[in-house]
Amino acid sequence: MSGAVIDGKAFAAGLRARVADFAATFEQAAGRKAGLAVVLVGDDPASQVYVASKAKQTALCGMASFEHRLPEDTAQDALLALIDRLNGDPAVDGILVQLPLPRHLDEQAVVARISPAKDVDGLTPISTGRLALGLPGLVPCTPLGSLMLLKDRLGDLSGLDAVVIGRSILVGKPMAQLLLAENCTVTVAHSRTKNLPDAVRRADIVVAAVGRPEMVRGDWIKPGATVIDVGINRLPPEEGQAKGRLVGDVAYAEALEVARAVTPVPGGVGPMTIAVLLRNAVVAAHRNAGVALADGAL
Ligand code: NDP
């Protein structure tokens, strides 16, 4: 038996097209474009690439993109002052601070300063609390994108056994909350979990967000399970190659043999993250401007 490949790239393209439609009708209704501000501190090369890509995609969806690039030695007060300014700027509907921040900055305090109404990354204590309480709010992009892929593939998730491997604030914990809200029975596994393979074997849904290349093996997976691989790991380069291959946290070829469906790396969850960021920005714009948005429309 061979499972299906979940094409996150295609799904993300569809989502971006829907976001562009909503951005256009928003502009007509509100008399201005929806706006997303991205703040980058320092010159980490990977972060530079992410920020450039986010700005480009924002503009392609018909939204205004505001980039704020600050030097590595930016002081905490200066960064907080910028966030206060963006919180008060009516042209800005969403604020994303590119993480990780340089070590001298207090990441938690910076994120907490973002207005919950503009928290498109869903990482402020208010957004996190609202998710835990089951109240509407902005949800972290990677787990929400993963949930979208699961619902597209499986429809109603009610009653399914899910295992989430990883308990980070960014991925594992919000993923578990989202699956619980869909009435899954959720196990959250982490580095201290005893007998992880057995926990995975019981699951109809496996979400791996660990950061360990190909850790989840094919014989851990229940036949017919659906596997979402969030991990992005670069292997050491093979001889004659400048860069190593990108792999996920799941041994992809093995998993495909037993699973119902698996997300590839790259081309699975990765493209969903930016698409959901844009989705969150346009949703925030509607709420901030008091323009109605049909529930579940995006
Ligand atoms: P973190 O490092 O913050 O969290 C990793 C989690 O994995 C921790 O909860 C840790 O447990 C757990 N873990 C570590 N080793 C093991 C093990 N041997 N067995 C079981 N659990 C283990 O990572 P993130 O959540 O931020 O990211 C996870 C992966 O997803 C990374 O590869 C990252 O690059 C990728 N990622 C991909 C995104 C995308 O857009 N596709 C977006 C964000 C992340 P403990 O808490 O006990 O330490």
Side-chain angles (χ1 to χ4, degrees), residues 161-162 187 195 197-204 220 222:
D161 282 313
T187 301
N195 207 341
D198 272 2
V200 175
R201 274 184 199 112
R202 288 192 292 272
D204 306 303
W220 298 15
K222 177 172 159 178

Side-chain angles (χ1 to χ4, degrees), residues 40-53 69 72 98 100:
L40 172 64
V41 185
D43 38 32
D44 174 66
S47 294
Q48 303 248 14
V49 173
Y50 292 143
V51 165
S53 168
R69 291 170 184 259
E72 179 86 22
Q98 184 67 42

Side-chain angles (χ1 to χ4, degrees), residues 3 37 60 110 117 128 139 199 202 207 239 259:
L60 282 174
V110 170
T128 306
V139 174
R202 288 192 292 272
V207 180
E239 221 180 278

Side-chain angles (χ1 to χ4, degrees), residues 142 165-168 170-171 190-192 196 209-212 215 230-233 249 269-270 273:
T142 303
I165 317 173
R167 55 175 164 177
S168 71
L170 190 64
V171 189
H190 46 77
S191 66
R192 311 290 175 87
L196 181 61
V210 185
R212 292 186 173 246
M215 183 186 84
V230 179
I232 303 177
N233 312 287
D249 292 339
V269 174
T273 299

